[in-house]
Structures are given as C-alpha cells and as structure tokens.
C-alpha cells in the first residue's frame, strides 16, 4: 500500500506549482509569489502547525485533545500576567510551559486511569481551562511587551526567513526524531496501532499516553507564547476551534483518527495546505464573509482525494 | 457591545469562576436603611469575567450607591435558558426592577411581559430586539448599532478621502454576531450612499488568525482603502495587519481597548466608536429607581456611538477599565 | 546450582481466576517440562486463553502459585514473564498491523544507540537475517513491510522468529493455526518441531486434535475451568482425547 503521505506531498507540490505559475502569469491579480504573501504564510503557518505537531503525536497513540485551544489561550495569559508581575521573561516561559505540561499530564491520567474516552476527558479540560482564562482575564490588561531580544528570537527574521517558521521547522524536526527515530516514538505507534498487543509485549501504554498528552499540551502552549509575542495581546475568546482545526490538519496530513499511523512530514504538509487554502482563497478574492464555507469544502475534497488515491494505489 | 460568540455558551459549565466574580461584584452596603431600598436584578448575558463589563458594573454600582438601590448582578453565561431562569427567579423574589440584555430576539419576550404583568419595571441595555416595540421593556439604554456604523463609516470616508469606486473591508470575529450584522448594515448604508463598495470578512476571534486573515485579504485586494473592524479584536489587529500586508489603508472600528487607544494615539488608527459602557450600567439603575419611587417613566437613551479619535483618546486612556 | 532435568520449567499450582460471575479457572495445576510441547485442549470457553494470559503476565490469578525451575516466582507484568523466558503468540493480537515487521519484531525490546534513539540499521539487519536464514519465510524482502500486508502464516512466522531470536524458553501459542491455510499450517507445525530441536518448550492451543496429536508430547485438557486430564502422547490417542473433550 502506498502511504498517504506520498499523495498528500504530491498534491501539495502540484498545488504549489499551479499557484506559482499562475502568480507569475498574473502578478497583479494573484500575488502568491510576492514577498509580502510569503512572509505572511511563514508567520501564519507556525501557530496552527505547532499545535498540530502535538495533537498529531497524540493522535498517533490513538487519543485526542480538545483542550489545546484553551491551553493555547491560557499560555498567552499566563506568560503576559507572569511577565507583568515582574518575573524575568524566560522564567515566565518556563512557568507557562510547566503549567501546560501539568494540564496535559492531568488529561492523560484522567483518560487512562478512569479508562474514559479522551474526547470527554479533554472536553472537560477545554471548559475548565477556558473558565480559568475568563477568571484570570477579568479586569486585567493582557498585553505582553517583552524586550527586543526575546521578541526578536520568537518573531524576528534570520537571513530573511521568519523566526516563527524556523521554530516550527525546528520543532517539527525534533518531533520527527522523537516519533520516527526513538524508542518512545515506536511505542507511540504500537500503542496507537493496537494497545492490547503493545501491553502484551511489555509496553507501559499508560505512561506512553500520558507523555503524549503532555506533549500535546506543551505544543499548544508554545504556539500560544509565539502568537502573543507576535500580536502583543491576548483575548479570552481566542483559540476557540483550534483543537478541531489541528485534528483536521493531521487528517489531511495522512494521520488516522484511529491512531497508529502517520508521519510528522504529513503534519507539516497538512498545516501548510490548510493555510494555503485560506490564503489562495483570499488572494483570489473569494467572498471573505463566507470563507469558512470554501475552506470546509476544499478540506473535505482534499481528504477524499487522498483516501481515494491511497486506496487506488493499494489495489 | 462586545464581540461574543454562541460558542461561549460552553462557558456555562464554569460555574465556579462565575460565582466567585459575582460575589465580588456585589455592591458594598450603603448607609440608607434597608426598607427604603429599591431591589433590582441586573442580568449580564455572558459569563462573568469579560473585562468589557467592568465599566458597566462600575456604572450600575455607582448608581446603586447614589440612589439607594440594592442591585443583584447575575450572569447568564450566554445561555438563553439560564437567562430566562434568572428573570423568573427575579419575578419570584418580587424585585422591583430588572435590567437585562435582550441579546436574542424573541427569546425573552414572554418573560419580560410576565415581569411587567407582575408590576416589575424592566429596562434593556447593551443590545435590544431590532424590531421596534417588540417587547414590553420600558426603555433601552445602549448603542444604536446601525447609527454607530453609519457614523464610523462617514468618519473613515472623511479621514481617508475615500471616493466613489473605492473599496472597504469590515472584518468581524463571528459572522453570526448580531452586533456585527447591525453595525455592518449601518456602514454599508453610509458607504453605498457614497458609491463605495464594501465587504465583510470572517476573521475569527483568535487574534493571530484574525491578523493573518486580514493581512491575506489586504494582499489579495491591495486596492482596499479602509479597514473597519466590527468588534474589538479585529479592530485591535487592524494596524498590524496592514503593516504586515505592506499596504496603508485607513483603519478604524468599534470598542475601546488599551491596544486600540494606543494605536489611535500613535496615529496608526483613525478612530473607534465608544460603546458608552458606563452608562449602560448607570442609566438603567437610575431610571428603575425613579420609576419605582415616583413613577417617572423610563425612556430609551441611545448612548455610546461617540467617535474616539486622536483629539479625545487621551482621556479614554486615563479612565480605561473603570469609566471607559 | 544444577537443576534436575525432571524439574518442570514452569509449574502452576491451584490457579483460580474469576471474571465477575464467571469462574474462568478453578484450582488449575499446569506444568511445562524441559524440551516438551504441551497441547492445551478444551472446548470453547474452557479457560485456555485465560491460562495463557496469566502465564504471560497480562492477567493476574485470584489465587495460586507459580514455580520456575522449582523456585517460587511471581508474574505480575509482561516484564516478569519475559524474565522467566515466556513468549506468547496470541490468538487475536500477536502483532500490530499498522507497524512494520521490524518494529513489531523489536516491539518493547528496541535496540538503541543510547539516548533512546533507535538503532534502525542494526535491527533491520537482524530481522532480515532471522527471517531469511532461520525461519525461512518466503515472500518477505524488506523489514519495512507493514504487518497488515502479510498473510496469517507470515505473521505467525514473524512472531515465531521473534521468539527464536529472543531465546525464549517457553513459547505459548494460542490457536496459531486458526486463520491459516493447510499449507501454512503445515509450515507452522514444522517451525514448532524446529523450535523444539533448538531447545524451546511450547504450549500449543488448538481445536484441531490431529494437529495437536502430531506435534505435542503431552496433553492437558481443560473443561469449564478445571483440569480433567493430563496425558502423555504414548498413553493416548486422538480418539481418546476427542472423547474426553466431548464427554465433559
Ligand atoms: N476479559 C474477560 N471478561 C469476562 N469474562 C471473560 C474474559 N475473558 C474470558 N472470560 C470468560 O472466561 C471463560 C474462559 O475464557 P477463555 O477465553 O479462557 O476460553 P478459551 O478456552 O480460550 O476459549 P476459546 O477456545 O473459545 O478461545 C469464558 O467463559 C469467557 O467468557
Ligand atoms: Mg481462547
């Protein structure tokens, strides 16, 4: 069977070629290959991309996390408030990441110890964490203005490439190393592929899953920190719906909802595709108010196409 | 009126923090004797904790203190069922006045009528049913979204020297939000008059996403002459979106936030429209008091709608979070 | 210390196990001797799989004792059974379908280059060597093939190859032939004989008495959670085994 990743990369590549050619032919009507647009893409992809890396790892173990959108928001508040209280910025970062890991571990423990579907466990966390955000945000300014060094590191540019994208690629490489090349990564796949068998060969599936939950939460917090550093402000309603978008990115990238399959490259390409679709639609002047209609339709088509090609190649 | 989404109804489960904040929002006891006090239930329609309501609550509490009103602030968690329960509880408790946000047309009409029939005074604030006289509410204190939309549109046309054939984009956090629909209707009416085209953009309530979508839109339509955010999030990110898209449209929008005020003071944003949040809390309490005590009929007041620009932004900054 | 060859490799005494109201095993004595293939027989629901799961450490008995080479032992987890040299090929879940042959082969016992990083190169080489030279499976030319793409027989062969490589003392096979063709079954029985020659003992669960009779040295028969007989091959026949199982 041909791996879905081959198709999705092919699909992505073809789309890129079409866009680039169209953009070169009509440079004034379709500004795809403009410095501005490329800069935008490189800044926009990482937020959802990084969240998807974590969600993807968790999906490989066969679980979901609906609380990542809330954790993303909480991370923004956490770093802004801690920094505002006078903590050095790097301590605020460490504390924020630690809070996220604690939430992830809690999600994981609740899921495995009480043997309940992670959908439910993390939906609870989604609501609770968002409630905490509401409570924290009350009457407070939530702007975050760290020093130049810090913001430059997270949102500047190196050799013309946007820093967020470099972070994204760096984290993707790390995730790839973990998932594809490490012992723990192998356990992620085995637990997600068939948990009973994994247990039978002596893998501590609970431990493996709790780690994956922690990573999902951690990734969401990193994305939250990255995005508040970029926009300078956090609002309580932000991040709603990101959890489902991240799952969609993973599915587009060839991960299975049932777990045990998928690649980090797929997640990266999925995230790029997701943003490309929105970007191209807006560049083509699709009605902005109904944007989600088009995005939704194109995503479903992409997944259908991917599934169909995979099946066909399998015969 | 602050941007809000129905999804926020999910927050209804977070009773813990709501109770906490509601408790802290209770007015401090006043010197007036208890039996002289007018009892009012004040219902905020979202969950507790949204900073937008701080000036509203401050207004309600100061009015209560000034007039000798005992005000009970409740939160409906964006849930029409809960809000109806709150109204019914208020009726059962025989309060003398109810102030509420009529944020969902037809949802509260029956209970408003029931309260009136029980002799309780009712005033709506912040949002009302768009159909005139749709409910028995005695008065509405809040922004006229349509008029406010027209006002900011005219301000932007003037500031950006927009002319016939120009294009304007109006991003919104949630395409379904009533405030967005009404404000845009006003904007469009004013722009259509001048022969200027306009379009709404679904930008999402997530700042980073909104920023990207608005920038992408501006890259795709670099001829866009003005960006008018329909709510606070999209208004706040407007200047940065333009900078990232490398274009220079005039930027404006609705609501007050520290970021928005800073942008106006720095000259990156032309203007925003004040929602008059303090009066949303103050006026209903005062009018309920005078009606209950002396029978003075309440009357609707179109508050807010003041355009804030460089000339008056400094004052807003000074009182942000309390009176503004 | 030398252990007399008559001491059983593994002995279970008075094992009981209850699932809710179902008494899956009650006071079962069971043993595996050196260089012996034991046929574990019995009707559906007799408790065979339960006994296997207890020996491999994924279920725990309510009561009973375990002896390895005559010494008391505990099996509380898969790691414990691995230490005692027990390897299991399950009726339903020997391998993870969505993972490759190599990743299944080394599942839970991955070789690393330190820091938890897999030594993929070495593991691939070992897998190919074992599959080609020892177990001699035809049609497998890469360690990266996903297990779900293998036939039932090939899967069993991979699982057996794994047991061979990890120097298992006892291999527990729970209905390994249930999904196999006639030819694949013959091949598997051949593997079993080969394993025995290499000094591996085995427990073989099957509903096919001819297969059992052909490859086993001794038979233990379970019925409704109790042992109703333990017979050496020499003192019984297929017919007698059949009668025993059917009668109870
Ligand atoms: N996890 C479980 N929960 C509840 N009951 C169980 C469980 N596992 C087995 N049982 C029950 O224990 C008894 C023995 O089951 P077991 O699977 O050991 O039988 P078996 O001899 O392997 O049967 P078969 O030949 O059909 O595989 C049966 O009555 C079964 O229903
Ligand atoms: Mg069985």
């Amino acid at each position: 069977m041909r791996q879905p990743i081959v198709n999705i990369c092919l699909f992505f590549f073809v789309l890129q070629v079409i866009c680039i050619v169209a953009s070169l032919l009509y440079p004034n009507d379709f500004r795809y290959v403009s410095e501005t647009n490329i800069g935008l893409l490189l800044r926009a992809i990482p937020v959802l991309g990084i969240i998807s890396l974590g969600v993807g790892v968790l999906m490989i173990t066969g679980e979901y996390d609906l609380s990542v959108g809330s954790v993303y928001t909480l991370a923004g508040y956490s770093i802004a408030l801690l920094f505002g209280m006078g903590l050095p910025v790097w301590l605020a970062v460490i504390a924020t990441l630690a809070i996220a890991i604690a939430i992830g571990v809690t999600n994981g423990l609740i899921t495995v110890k009480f043997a309940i579907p992670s959908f439910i466990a993390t939906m609870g966390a989604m609501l609770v964490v968002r409630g905490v955000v509401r409570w924290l945000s009350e009457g407070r300014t939530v702007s975050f203005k760290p020093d130049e060094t810090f913001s430059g590191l997270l949102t500047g540019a190196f050799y013309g490439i946007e820093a967020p994208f470099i972070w994204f690629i760096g984290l993707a490489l790390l995730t790839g190393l973990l998932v594809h090349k490490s012992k723990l990564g192998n356990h992620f796949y085995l637990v997600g592929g068939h948990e009973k068998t994994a247990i039978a060969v002596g893998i501590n599936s609970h431990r493996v899953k709790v780690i994956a939950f922690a990573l999902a939460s951690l990734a969401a917090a990193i994305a939250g920190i990255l995005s508040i550093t970029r926009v300078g402000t956090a609002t309580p309603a932000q991040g709603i719906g990101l959890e489902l978008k991240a799952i969609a990115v993973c599915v587009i990238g060839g991960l299975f909802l049932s777990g045990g399959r998928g690649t980090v490259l797929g997640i990266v390409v999925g995230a790029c595709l997701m943003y490309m679709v929105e970007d191209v639609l807006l560049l083509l002047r699709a009605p902005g108010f109904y944007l989600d209609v088009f995005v939704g339709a194109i995503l479903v088509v992409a997944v259908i196409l991917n599934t169909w090609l995979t099946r066909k190649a399998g015969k | 009126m602050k941007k809000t989404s129905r999804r926020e109804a999910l927050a209804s489960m977070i009773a813990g923090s709501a109770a906490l904040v509601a408790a802290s929002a209770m007015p401090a006891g006043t010197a007036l004797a208890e039996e002289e006090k007018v009892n009012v239930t004040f219902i905020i329609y979202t969950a507790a904790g949204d900073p937008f309501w701080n000036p509203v609550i401050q207004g309600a509490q100061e009015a209560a203190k000034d007039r000798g009103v005992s005000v009970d602030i409740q939160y409906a968690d964006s849930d029409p069922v809960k809000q109806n329960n709150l109204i019914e509880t208020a009726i059962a408790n025989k309060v003398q006045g109810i102030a509420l946000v009529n944020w969902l047309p037809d949802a509260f009409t029956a209970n408003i009528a029931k309260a009136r029939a029980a002799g309780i005074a009712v005033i709506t604030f912040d949002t009302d049913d768009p159909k005139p006289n749709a409910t028995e509410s005695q008065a509405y204190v809040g922004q006229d979204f349509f008029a406010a939309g027209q006002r900011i549109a005219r301000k932007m046309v003037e500031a950006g020297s927009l002319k016939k054939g120009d294009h304007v984009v109006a991003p919104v956090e949630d395409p379904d939000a009533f405030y967005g629909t009404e404000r845009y209707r006003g904007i469009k009416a004013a722009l259509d008059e001048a022969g200027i085209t306009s379009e709404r953009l679904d930008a999402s309530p997530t700042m980073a996403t909104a920023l990207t979508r608005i920038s992408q839109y501006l890259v795709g339509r670099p001829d866009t002459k003005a960006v008018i955010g329909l709510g606070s999030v999209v208004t706040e990110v407007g200047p940065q979106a333009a900078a990232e898209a490398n274009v220079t449209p005039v930027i404006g929008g609705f609501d007050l936030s520290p970021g928005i005020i800073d942008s106006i003071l720095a000259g990156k944003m032309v203007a925003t429209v004040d929602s008059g949040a303090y009066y949303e809390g103050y006026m209903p309490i005062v009018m309920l008091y005078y009606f209950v005590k002396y029978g003075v009929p309440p009357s609707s007041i179109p508050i807010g709608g003041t355009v804030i620009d460089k000339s008056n932004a400094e004052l807003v900054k000074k009182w942000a979070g309390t009176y503004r | 210390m030398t252990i007399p060859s008559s001491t059983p490799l593994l002995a279970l005494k008075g094992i009981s196990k209850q699932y809710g109201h179902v008494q899956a095993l009650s006071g079962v004595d069971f043993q595996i001797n050196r260089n012996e293939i034991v046929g574990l027989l019995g009707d559906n629901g007799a408790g065979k799989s339960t006994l296997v799961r207890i020996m491999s450490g994924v279920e725990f008995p309510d009561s009973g004792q375990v002896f390895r080479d005559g010494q008391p032992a505990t099996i509380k987890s898969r790691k414990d059974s691995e230490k005692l040299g027990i390897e299991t090929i399950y009726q339903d879940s020997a391998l993870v379908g969505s993972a490759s042959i190599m990743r299944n082969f080394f599942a839970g016992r991955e070789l690393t280059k330190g820091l938890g990083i897999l030594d993929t190169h070495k593991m691939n080489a070992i897998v190919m060597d074992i599959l080609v030279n020892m177990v001699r499976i035809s049609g497998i030319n890469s360690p990266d093939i996903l297990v779900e793409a293998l036939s039932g027989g090939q899967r069993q062969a991979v699982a057996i190859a794994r047991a061979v490589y990890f120097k298992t003392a006892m291999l527990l096979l729970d209905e390994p032939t249930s999904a196999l063709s006639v030819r694949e079954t013959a091949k598997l029985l051949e593997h079993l004989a080969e394993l025995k020659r290499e000094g591996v003992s085995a427990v073989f669960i099957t509903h096919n008495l001819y297969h059992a009779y052909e490859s086993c040295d001794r038979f233990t028969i379970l019925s409704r959670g109790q042992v109703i007989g333990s017979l050496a091959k020499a003192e019984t026949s297929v017919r007698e085994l059949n009668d025993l199982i059917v009668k109870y």
Side-chain angles (χ1 to χ4, degrees):
Chain A
M1 190 180 88
R2 182 156 60 154
Q3 295 290 305
I5 180 69
V6 179
N7 297 318
I8 206 73
C9 286
L10 213 68
F11 186 64
F12 181 67
F13 182 72
V14 170
L15 217 65
Q16 285 294 352
V17 170
I18 293 173
C19 285
I20 291 167
V21 169
S23 169
L24 294 177
L25 286 178
Y26 308 98
N28 287 327
D29 292 318
F30 185 60
R31 293 159 200 266
Y32 189 72
V33 194
S34 64
E35 202 180 306
T36 326
N37 188 51
I38 291 168
L40 270 179
L41 279 171
L42 296 187
R43 278 192 298 265
I45 292 168
V47 171
L48 184 60
I50 290 172
I51 295 177
S52 304
L53 286 175
V55 167
V57 168
L58 186 58
M59 247 169 96
I60 288 172
T61 70
E63 302 289 346
Y64 306 91
D65 188 349
L66 294 185
S67 72
V68 290
S70 298
V71 171
Y72 164 85
T73 312
L74 179 68
Y77 273 93
S78 158
I79 193 168
L81 294 178
L82 290 172
F83 182 66
M85 278 159 50
L87 229 59
V89 72
W90 55 272
L91 263 182
V93 170
I94 291 173
T96 299
L97 298 182
I99 291 169
I101 290 173
I103 294 171
V105 168
T106 311
N107 279 338
L109 287 177
I110 289 176
T111 302
V112 300
K113 293 297 172 206
F114 297 103
I116 58 173
S118 50
F119 241 108
I120 300 302
T122 58
M123 192 172 104
M126 165 176 107
L127 297 171
V128 170
V129 173
R130 196 156 285 283
V132 170
V133 166
R134 292 232 161 90
W135 176 71
L136 275 178
S137 65
E138 192 228 2
R140 300 248 207 165
T141 315
V142 283
S143 61
F144 176 60
K145 302 270 186 293
D147 58 73
E148 293 282 315
T149 334
F150 182 79
S151 60
L153 206 60
L154 261 62
T155 60
F158 298 100
Y159 301 105
I161 298 174
E162 301 288 341
F165 198 75
I166 297 175
W167 279 98
F168 174 45
I169 295 304
L171 289 171
L173 289 174
L174 267 180
T175 312
L177 183 71
L178 172 73
V179 167
H180 298 305
K181 300 275 180 227
S182 84
K183 186 167 169 164
L184 182 60
N186 197 35
H187 294 182
F188 287 153
Y189 281 96
L190 296 170
V191 167
H194 200 200
E195 193 170 354
K196 261 171 81 182
T197 307
I199 295 169
V201 297
I203 294 168
N204 184 343
S205 75
H206 285 188
R207 187 176 142 265
V208 167
K209 283 191 173 178
V210 169
I211 292 175
F213 273 105
L215 290 176
S217 232
L218 177 67
I222 295 175
I225 292 174
L226 210 62
S227 89
I228 194 178
T229 310
R230 180 174 171 224
V231 294
T233 318
T235 61
Q238 74 182 11
I240 291 173
L242 278 183
E243 54 284 328
L244 295 181
K245 262 196 171 174
I247 293 176
V249 162
C250 294
V251 172
I252 292 167
L255 272 72
F256 279 44
L257 286 172
S258 49
R261 288 164 211 264
T263 57
V264 172
L265 179 62
I267 302 172
V268 172
V269 173
C272 293
L273 257 177
M274 184 77 135
Y275 257 108
M276 245 187 87
V277 167
E278 279 187 33
D279 181 46
V280 168
L281 280 170
L282 283 169
L283 292 181
L284 288 175
R285 304 182 181 186
F289 193 61
Y290 306 102
L291 196 64
D292 279 348
V293 176
F294 298 93
V295 174
I298 290 178
L299 294 184
V300 172
V301 169
V303 174
I304 290 175
L305 209 70
N306 193 8
T307 313
W308 181 71
L309 284 171
T310 308
R311 287 232 183 87
K312 220 178 122 185
K315 274 181 194 150
Chain B
M1 169 77 196
K2 169 135 180 160
K3 51 108 236 90
T4 309
S5 77
R6 279 196 235 121
R7 285 165 288 198
E8 282 186 13
L10 291 173
S12 57
M13 292 201 194
I14 309 147
S17 65
L20 202 74
V21 176
S24 67
M26 292 293 285
T30 56
L32 286 171
E34 278 303 317
E35 70 261 32
E36 288 177 27
K37 281 198 168 183
V38 171
N39 287 310
V40 170
T41 298
F42 191 88
I43 305 171
I44 285 173
Y45 83 98
T46 65
D50 186 335
F52 172 82
W53 300 110
N54 289 345
V56 179
I57 293 167
Q58 173 117 357
Q61 287 176 343
E62 288 191 1
K65 203 166 155 215
D66 291 353
R67 302 295 144 193
V69 172
S70 165
V71 61
D72 176 18
I73 297 177
Q74 294 290 339
Y75 296 86
D77 298 340
S78 304
D79 176 357
V81 176
K82 181 165 182 202
Q83 178 151 330
N84 272 314
N85 290 343
L86 290 172
I87 300 173
E88 281 172 15
T89 308
I91 297 172
N93 288 344
K94 299 198 170 34
V95 299
Q96 287 143 300
I98 300 174
L100 63 110
V101 182
N102 187 4
W103 52 281
L104 198 62
D106 302 329
F108 313 112
T109 310
N111 267 327
I112 291 174
K114 207 165 133 194
R116 292 294 297 128
I120 299 170
V122 177
I123 294 181
T124 44
F125 66 96
D126 189 76
T127 312
D128 203 14
D129 196 312
K131 301 183 290 292
N133 302 321
T135 71
E136 286 183 39
S137 157
Q138 292 161 282
Y140 166 61
V141 179
Q143 194 178 74
D144 180 340
F145 294 139
F146 183 82
Q150 285 180 307
R151 207 165 302 144
I152 187 74
R154 294 205 178 103
K155 174 83 185 173
M156 301 295 285
V157 169
E158 177 200 310
S161 319
L162 269 56
K163 52 188 188 306
K164 202 175 155 88
D166 284 346
H167 180 72
V168 172
V169 65
V172 64
E173 293 88 0
D174 178 356
D176 306 324
F178 176 67
Y179 68 87
T181 311
E182 281 298 295
R183 283 168 178 169
Y184 179 68
R185 220 165 49 80
I187 291 170
K188 189 167 186 321
L191 295 179
D192 283 353
E193 247 170 53
I196 298 163
T197 60
S198 65
E199 183 185 14
R200 266 176 302 175
L201 171 66
D202 170 11
S204 104
T206 302
M207 275 206 168
T209 313
L211 174 58
T212 305
R213 283 206 172 169
I214 299 170
S215 325
Q216 281 169 340
Y217 184 94
L218 293 175
V219 172
R221 297 208 59 163
D223 57 326
T224 306
K225 287 290 190 311
V227 179
I228 307 177
L230 296 175
S232 59
V233 169
V234 286
T235 302
E236 177 150 355
V237 296
Q240 196 177 347
E244 294 202 355
N246 213 2
V247 288
T248 52
V250 287
I251 291 160
F254 288 86
D255 292 348
L256 307 177
S257 77
I260 292 173
I261 298 305
D262 286 344
S263 287
I264 290 177
L265 290 172
K268 293 185 215 158
M269 192 184 292
V270 172
T272 186
V273 182
D274 188 355
S275 65
Y278 181 81
Y279 277 157
E280 282 190 5
Y282 194 89
M283 295 316 293
I285 298 293
V286 168
M287 286 196 289
L288 286 169
Y289 173 79
Y290 283 107
F291 178 72
V292 170
K293 278 277 174 188
Y294 312 108
V296 183
S299 119
S300 294
I301 314 174
I303 48 121
T306 309
V307 173
I308 306 290
D309 59 14
K310 220 169 179 164
S311 66
N312 53 1
E314 202 62 64
L315 207 56
V316 174
K317 192 180 168 89
K318 189 171 169 195
W319 298 112
T322 51
Y323 292 91
R324 303 303 288 263
Chain C
M1 184 176 82
T2 51
I3 301 155
S5 63
S6 58
T7 311
L9 217 45
L10 191 76
L12 286 82
K13 296 248 156 70
I15 300 287
S16 294
K17 173 78 190 177
Q18 203 165 352
Y19 290 112
H21 296 298
V22 182
Q23 189 71 39
L25 294 174
S26 43
V28 167
D29 294 338
F30 182 70
Q31 66 181 56
I32 306 170
N33 297 317
R34 248 152 246 292
N35 214 13
E36 172 189 66
I37 301 184
V38 190
L40 186 54
L41 308 177
D43 204 356
N44 290 116
K48 307 181 293 292
S49 297
T50 306
L51 192 59
V52 164
R53 286 201 294 269
I54 286 173
M55 285 189 279
S56 48
V58 293
E59 296 273 13
F60 318 111
D62 302 330
S63 60
Q65 292 159 293
V66 178
F67 299 91
R68 176 75 215 274
D69 292 326
Q71 302 297 314
T74 46
I75 308 180
K76 284 235 163 65
S77 69
R78 168 63 194 134
K79 285 269 176 261
D80 291 343
S81 70
E82 191 184 324
K83 268 189 231 126
L84 300 183
I86 297 169
E87 187 78 16
T88 314
I89 297 179
Y90 288 97
Q91 188 171 7
D92 51 352
S93 58
L95 305 167
V96 176
S98 56
S100 72
I101 293 177
M102 182 276 270
R103 280 169 183 260
N104 268 289
F105 196 96
F106 285 96
R109 288 182 286 215
E110 295 85 352
L111 305 181
T112 63
K113 296 190 273 199
L115 290 172
I117 299 301
L118 297 175
D119 194 342
T120 312
H121 196 75
K122 191 164 165 196
M123 290 192 285
N124 278 338
I126 292 171
V127 169
M128 280 325 279
D129 180 55
I130 301 276
L131 289 183
V132 173
N133 298 324
M134 279 188 84
V135 186
R136 288 182 286 275
I137 313 177
S138 52
I140 296 179
N141 49 21
S142 157
D144 294 328
I145 300 173
L146 297 188
V147 162
E148 67 196 359
L150 299 180
S151 76
Q154 288 172 322
R155 282 182 213 193
Q156 302 286 5
V158 170
I160 288 173
R162 182 167 67 180
V164 170
Y165 176 75
F166 285 103
K167 304 244 180 306
T168 301
M170 289 158 276
L171 186 61
L172 316 182
L173 300 118
D174 191 348
E175 295 190 37
T177 56
S178 59
L180 302 190
S181 71
V182 176
R183 265 184 68 184
E184 283 178 330
T185 304
K187 192 102 191 245
L188 182 93
L189 297 180
E190 239 171 69
H191 285 317
L192 266 182
E194 227 166 274
L195 276 175
K196 193 181 156 191
R197 254 173 269 136
E198 306 222 1
V200 179
S201 291
V203 174
F204 182 26
I205 297 179
T206 178
H207 287 285
N208 187 320
L209 296 180
Y210 293 95
H211 290 161
Y213 195 76
E214 182 189 331
S215 43
C216 299
D217 305 310
R218 195 163 56 79
F219 307 93
T220 297
I221 299 141
L222 281 179
S223 173
R224 285 183 228 125
Q226 285 175 309
V227 177
I228 55 168
S230 186
L231 308 160
K233 181 170 178 166
E235 51 187 60
T236 188
S237 63
V238 172
R239 186 179 200 124
E240 189 188 358
L241 290 173
N242 188 57
D243 288 349
L244 263 174
I245 293 167
V246 174
K247 206 165 65 195
Y248 279 87

